[in-house]
Amino acid sequence: MKASVRKSRFSSRQKFGLLLIAPSFIIILGLMLYPLLYSLGISFFNLHITAPWLGTTFVGLKNYLSVITDPDMHSALEHTLILAAVGIGLGIPISLLFAIILNRKFPLRGLVRGILIIPWVIPGSVQGLLWSRIFDPHYGALNGILIQWGIITDPVAWLLDPTRALLFIAFASLWGAVPMMSLLYLSGLQSIPEELFDASRVDGASFWGYIRYIVIPLLLPITLINLVLRTIDAFTMFDLVYVLTGGGPAGATQVTGYYLYQAAFTKLNYGYASALAWLIAITVTLLAIFYSRFTLKEETAS
Amino acid sequence: MSVQTQTQHPRRFLPKRIGPNLLLLIAILFMLVFILAPIAWLLISSVSTSKDLLQMPPNWLPWPPDFSRYRQLLFGSAGQNTTLTDFTLQAFRYSLRNSLIIAASVTLTALVFGSMAGYAFARIKFPFGNKLIYVLLISQMIPVAVLLIPLYITIGNLGQLDKLSTVIVLLVSIHLPFVIWMLRGYFQTLPAEMEEAALVDGATNFQVLTKVILPVSLPGLFSAAAYTFMQSWNAFMIPLIFTSSDTTRSVTVAIAMFVGRHYTDYSLMSAAGVLASLPPVLLAIFFQRYLLAGLTAGAVKG
């Protein structure tokens, strides 16, 4: 009796399916969901890693409170938001321009599009090396060009200036993000029917009018996706800061992603770092849900 | 006749056709400079002599290019170089080998498990299938940073720190949800009649997957493979945290160490960076179409 009930619940095809899913779910449960809960647990404790004789003490929401009230965290958050703002403010017009270019027909367009992807695939730490060659305090390319053109006479240590370092990091990060932003815009542009362009021409609209009144409004969902992606990127920014500045000078380029790494693996403050990680994760996940809502709507609409 | 109409309105002809084309040309040039100038400087640095680079302004176009750094990194010894040791060169070669092992293993493993689970999700109906897909989506949204502390503690307790296999397993778990998601989408586009016919002909479930479905899914598998290879070659935070010796380090981490130790041998560092970027950049150039297939879907993963 029992066996027949089972048989009706899972056909041999379903059993085969479960067998296919099993390895992936063991990996995902074991290496993602279990650590996720473990990390939530740690965030309520002080583990005393640097003073193990004290044992572990339950501290409730204290870790979360100290993250929220930490002035270093506030400045890291501020820098993260500046990073996102530069990424959005400069990145959206630049990538929209690149997408409009790639949407026109011209010789070697495929090659140009291939070149555009390159920054996206260069490893983050090599991007760090690349920008360190440009912003080098003595022999960088930026100093070289400015001296060559007579704009400055002595090399400037760009990344050692607290007021400017973050902007240079933001620009470097933007460079790596523009390919993806442009390609997202390009996919949006390609979905705009060409008749709209012809119709706007017939109605006497200029090219700029077409961009202003047809393209930009129709690309609004993509703009929103780019906006959210840049914000998520800013919150998880790590490689470039690690290689270029280490959060310095004097914390001027400290951002949440790098701050989290330091709290966990330099200061070994596991409880605090876990609380911080959860707060970042909640922020990022909310943004991601917001993002996927939009893409799902897009898919169902088309 | 047509010649006549063209010559009749030469002034109108010019701004209408060449004007926009000139604008387009300027825009394309701006785009190429924006993307290529930083890369060009890394390439130039890598084939310069120290004398070319250690002057202000630098020698922008060293001629003939000096490829000795590449030879030294791949095959040579430190020789008279004071800031460099044979040990460092050996460590760099290890790191290249490690990254190759990591990226190839992660890609292969993620593809095997991912195509199994992706097929099951695409074709087999479970009573709780939707909930499992939800788990998949959630695990794809988890920022890796949250998982690092518990994983570090657990892996440390198991005595598995500083091992390539650990890095591979961790990267598989991070990329698997996306690979499943992508392949599920691909399998759904295949006509169901194919496997129904095979099942009627007496093929087993397993044969249907390996002999019918997978052979016609090569483009989808290839996209997933290109994307996973690129992402795991470029991985930085996981190898940084979970490895600590010269024999296990990935090339991305080795590059960060190069910059961090403030070697003044800029051309050697640059050549190392170029070598580290070569595999993903070649993938992007030759398999652009496949790599981009996963772009928008994978965009949300930080």
Side-chain angles (χ1 to χ4, degrees):
Chain A
M1 185 67 195
K2 221 176 181 183
S4 69
V5 170
R6 272 220 175 138
K7 221 177 188 178
S8 66
R9 280 191 68 189
F10 290 114
S11 67
S12 75
R13 184 120 178 102
Q14 284 177 330
K15 278 181 196 155
F16 176 64
L18 286 178
L19 215 66
L20 291 181
I21 292 173
S24 294
F25 266 78
I26 291 169
I27 293 172
I28 291 170
L29 288 175
L31 290 158
M32 299 195 89
L33 297 186
Y34 164 70
L36 191 68
L37 296 176
Y38 191 170
S39 142
L40 185 64
I42 294 174
S43 71
F44 298 114
F45 284 88
N46 189 340
L47 295 182
H48 300 293
I49 298 296
T50 48
W53 58 89
L54 292 173
T56 54
T57 38
F58 181 78
V59 293
L61 288 171
K62 190 172 152 278
N63 286 326
Y64 287 89
L65 277 176
S66 43
V67 170
I68 292 169
T69 55
D70 185 349
D72 287 348
M73 183 55 214
H74 293 163
S75 71
L77 188 65
E78 193 189 316
H79 299 151
T80 305
L81 293 176
I82 291 175
L83 217 58
V86 173
I88 291 162
L90 271 178
I92 283 184
I94 291 178
S95 51
L96 184 59
L97 172 69
F98 288 2
I100 290 171
I101 295 172
L102 286 173
N103 200 37
R104 311 282 310 258
K105 284 197 178 70
F106 59 86
L108 298 177
R109 181 171 66 166
L111 180 73
V112 174
R113 196 181 55 191
I115 288 170
L116 172 72
I117 313 176
I118 294 176
W120 176 58
V121 302
I122 293 181
S125 65
V126 177
Q127 289 188 30
L129 165 68
L130 183 143
W131 291 105
S132 83
R133 286 298 306 120
I134 291 169
F135 299 142
D136 187 277
H138 306 293
Y139 302 108
L142 184 58
N143 280 324
I145 288 177
L146 293 178
I147 289 175
Q148 181 104 51
W149 290 345
I151 296 171
I152 55 172
T153 48
D154 294 308
V156 178
W158 305 103
L159 290 177
L160 293 177
D161 177 344
T163 57
R164 281 186 290 217
L166 187 66
L167 293 179
F168 285 104
I169 297 269
F171 185 82
S173 149
L174 172 75
W175 184 78
V178 155
M180 176 137 68
M181 295 170 82
S182 309
L183 290 173
L184 283 170
Y185 270 134
L186 183 60
S187 71
L189 280 176
Q190 283 165 346
S191 68
I192 298 177
E194 223 160 282
E195 294 87 62
L196 276 179
F197 180 65
D198 301 334
S200 73
R201 270 292 154 91
V202 171
D203 291 348
S206 66
F207 183 71
W208 295 116
Y210 169 71
I211 298 286
R212 168 75 183 78
Y213 295 105
I214 294 177
V215 171
I216 291 179
L218 281 178
L219 289 183
L220 197 64
I222 306 234
T223 304
L224 204 77
I225 291 169
N226 272 330
L227 210 130
V228 173
L229 286 181
R230 287 311 297 143
T231 316
I232 293 176
D233 267 7
F235 271 96
T236 51
M237 162 85 145
F238 178 72
D239 307 11
L240 277 177
V241 171
Y242 181 94
V243 176
L244 282 177
T245 60
T253 57
Q254 186 64 277
V255 288
T256 53
Y258 191 71
Y259 189 68
L260 170 62
Y261 167 81
Q262 279 193 320
F265 297 101
T266 317
K267 296 177 191 150
L268 299 177
N269 203 342
Y270 285 177
Y272 177 93
S274 297
L276 172 56
W278 265 89
L279 289 174
I280 294 177
I282 289 167
T283 314
V284 168
T285 309
L286 287 178
L287 287 168
I289 289 171
F290 187 59
Y291 163 72
S292 60
R293 275 265 167 96
F294 240 92
T295 41
L296 286 181
K297 255 189 210 160
E298 280 275 278
E299 269 170 30
T300 46
S302 61
Chain B
M1 189 66 184
S2 63
V3 174
Q4 232 179 7
T5 43
Q6 269 183 22
T7 46
Q8 259 176 357
H9 310 286
R11 284 211 187 87
R12 222 169 155 202
F13 178 80
L14 265 177
K16 260 212 158 169
R17 292 216 55 121
I18 292 180
N21 279 352
L22 190 70
L23 215 64
L24 181 67
L25 188 69
I26 293 169
I28 294 171
L29 284 179
F30 167 70
M31 179 169 147
L32 289 177
V33 168
F34 178 88
I35 299 292
L36 288 178
I39 301 172
W41 180 235
L42 191 75
L43 286 171
I44 291 170
S45 297
S46 75
V47 294
S48 298
T49 61
S50 292
K51 204 172 142 258
D52 292 324
L53 294 179
L54 296 180
Q55 58 180 328
M56 263 297 128
N59 183 5
W60 297 108
L61 289 170
W63 201 260
D66 173 15
F67 289 99
S68 64
R69 306 301 181 178
Y70 290 96
R71 222 173 301 131
Q72 194 177 24
L73 279 168
L74 290 173
F75 315 107
S77 59
Q80 297 301 307
N81 194 320
T82 46
T83 56
L84 189 73
T85 61
D86 287 339
F87 189 65
T88 327
L89 287 175
Q90 191 55 48
F92 180 74
R93 275 169 233 157
Y94 269 128
S95 76
L96 273 180
R97 185 207 64 178
N98 292 340
S99 283
L100 201 63
I101 295 174
I102 291 170
S105 313
V106 171
T107 305
L108 200 69
T109 318
L111 231 59
V112 170
F113 292 152
S115 56
M116 285 163 59
Y119 173 72
F121 279 129
R123 279 292 195 264
I124 300 170
K125 287 219 166 14
F126 300 106
F128 46 82
N130 286 335
K131 278 175 193 138
L132 284 181
I133 289 179
Y134 213 61
V135 170
L136 208 66
L137 271 177
I138 290 173
S139 60
Q140 210 196 322
M141 284 177 184
I142 301 171
V144 180
V146 192
L147 310 174
L148 293 174
I149 295 169
L151 286 173
Y152 190 80
I153 296 174
T154 311
I155 289 167
N157 288 340
L158 295 171
Q160 298 297 312
L161 287 175
D162 203 18
K163 286 187 175 162
L164 280 188
S165 54
T166 301
V167 174
I168 291 167
V169 169
L170 290 175
L171 289 176
V172 167
S173 76
I174 289 169
H175 296 305
L176 192 54
F178 173 68
V179 172
I180 296 175
W181 190 250
M182 196 174 158
L183 289 176
R184 170 181 172 263
Y186 191 86
F187 293 141
Q188 278 172 338
T189 64
L190 300 175
E193 293 83 44
M194 268 172 31
E195 47 198 314
E196 278 159 15
L199 282 172
V200 169
D201 286 349
T204 63
N205 281 316
F206 186 69
Q207 282 170 334
V208 170
L209 177 58
T210 55
K211 301 249 165 77
V212 180
I213 298 296
L214 291 184
V216 297
S217 306
L218 285 180
L221 293 172
F222 210 77
S223 286
Y227 190 81
T228 314
F229 190 94
M230 192 269 283
Q231 290 288 354
S232 38
W233 178 278
N234 287 6
F236 182 65
M237 213 193 236
I238 296 274
L240 176 75
I241 291 168
F242 290 91
T243 62
S244 49
S245 51
D246 287 334
T247 50
T248 52
R249 205 163 278 146
S250 75
V251 74
T252 49
V253 178
I255 294 289
M257 303 274 155
F258 263 129
V259 185
R261 278 177 200 159
H262 298 288
Y263 285 115
T264 47
D265 196 337
Y266 294 126
S267 38
L268 188 90
M269 267 175 20
S270 305
V274 172
L275 287 175
S277 313
L278 224 45
V281 169
L282 290 179
L283 265 183
I285 290 172
F286 291 109
F287 302 111
Q288 199 195 119
R289 198 159 52 91
Y290 296 103
L291 204 57
L292 290 185
L295 174 76
T296 41
V300 81
K301 189 83 198 167

